[in-house]
Amino acid sequence: MFALQKVSARHIIVTVAVLNLLMVVIGYIGHDNPTKHYREGTVGTHISILLLALIALVNFQIFLRQRHVIWLLISLGFTFLAFDEGYEIHEGLDKAFHRFFGISQTSLTDRIDDILIGIYGLIGAGILYRCRAEILRHQVLLQYLFIGFAFLAASVVFDAVTNDNALFLWIGIPEAQVLDFKLPLRALEEVCKLMAEAFFLAGFVLVLRQVKENREFADGDALESGTTRPTE
């Protein structure tokens, strides 16, 4: 870990923003569909899995240096999210809910997977708040967490809005034109999700760098005091 420690937070965020722009533009130009490269199993999904896995790995490295349980919990949480992204766990839970209760999918129950994503975010925020004393030791992280959660909230909202046509029809958009409105919003949903992951990764990389520098400084002080001898 590596070379990622040497990458600036700005580079991480700008790189993901540029990738988002490329995927949206190429989707529009090549397929008239800005969400084309965000569908399951496409490049957008792979980028998300990579970002989530890197966040998990960075937090595990922080845990090895800090030995505080919050960093291990964050690492395990993002590991789960990476598997969720790859294997569509929350979508599977949505379908399992309908099968278990023997109910047909409706506009309301179809939003269960959206609710699960929101619950993931609330659990994460709750754990961070519970261990806020450790988090507040790293002030550099706070602004990245705030922006990351803002992007995550926006992603959940866009996902819920575009889940079906109900809202669009309610505000008076003709059904034939609904897709023209939904596709850009779905693209924004995916863009916000990747940007949330980019801000989280950038913030945790800065924490890892800070922790490493503090440890090296402490080791240097210990070495210096160990080699210093009192003068007669």
Side-chain angles (χ1 to χ4, degrees):
M1 234 183 115
F2 71 160
L4 187 59
Q5 289 184 30
K6 301 177 182 178
V7 177
S8 72
R10 180 179 300 177
H11 286 157
I12 294 172
I13 294 165
V14 170
T15 298
V16 175
V18 169
L19 289 172
N20 271 318
L21 179 62
L22 287 173
M23 286 188 289
V24 169
V25 170
I26 293 172
Y28 258 127
I29 293 174
H31 307 277
D32 198 28
N33 182 354
T35 68
K36 173 69 176 179
H37 300 292
Y38 290 103
R39 294 175 179 174
E40 300 298 337
T42 61
V43 64
T45 300
H46 297 314
I47 291 172
S48 180
I49 293 171
L50 176 61
L51 289 170
L52 293 168
L54 287 174
I55 294 170
L57 188 55
V58 167
N59 276 279
F60 187 70
Q61 290 290 320
I62 297 172
F63 169 70
L64 292 178
R65 290 169 169 80
Q66 293 292 88
R67 295 297 179 180
H68 193 291
V69 69
I70 181 61
W71 306 112
L72 180 60
L73 290 176
I74 295 173
S75 178
L76 293 174
F78 277 99
T79 299
F80 169 78
L81 291 177
F83 278 102
D84 187 325
E85 185 74 5
Y87 294 101
E88 305 177 37
I89 295 174
H90 67 278
E91 289 93 339
L93 291 174
D94 184 352
K95 296 174 183 176
F97 175 87
H98 289 89
R99 287 197 304 269
F100 182 80
F101 289 100
I103 58 177
S104 300
Q105 202 167 32
T106 66
S107 177
L108 179 61
T109 62
D110 193 36
R111 287 183 166 82
I112 291 174
D113 59 333
D114 306 328
I115 294 171
L116 286 172
I117 294 297
I119 291 173
Y120 290 169
L122 289 175
I123 291 173
I127 291 173
L128 290 174
Y129 181 77
R130 178 67 179 81
C131 301
R132 60 190 180 278
E134 172 68 12
I135 298 298
L136 290 174
R137 291 179 57 198
H138 306 281
Q139 294 288 325
V140 67
L141 175 62
L142 298 183
Q143 61 179 324
Y144 292 92
L145 287 180
F146 179 81
I147 297 173
F149 274 110
F151 272 116
L152 179 61
S155 176
V156 172
V157 170
F158 286 132
D159 190 13
V161 167
T162 60
N163 196 278
D164 58 26
N165 297 345
L167 179 62
F168 299 94
L169 297 175
W170 181 75
I171 62 178
I173 297 174
E175 189 167 6
Q177 298 177 19
V178 166
L179 191 60
D180 295 333
F181 287 87
K182 285 178 70 172
L183 287 179
L185 293 178
R186 282 178 176 170
L188 280 175
E189 171 203 338
E190 299 295 340
V191 167
C192 286
K193 181 177 73 174
L194 290 185
M195 292 310 301
E197 294 165 2
F199 272 94
F200 289 146
L201 178 59
F204 290 126
V205 165
L206 290 177
V207 172
L208 177 59
R209 188 178 302 158
Q210 184 182 69
V211 167
K212 185 180 178 183
E213 289 172 354
N214 290 344
R215 176 60 61 85
E216 290 175 349
F217 181 77
D219 289 346
D221 278 354
L223 181 61
E224 183 177 342
S225 41
T227 55
T228 301
R229 296 289 184 271
T231 56
E232 295 293 339

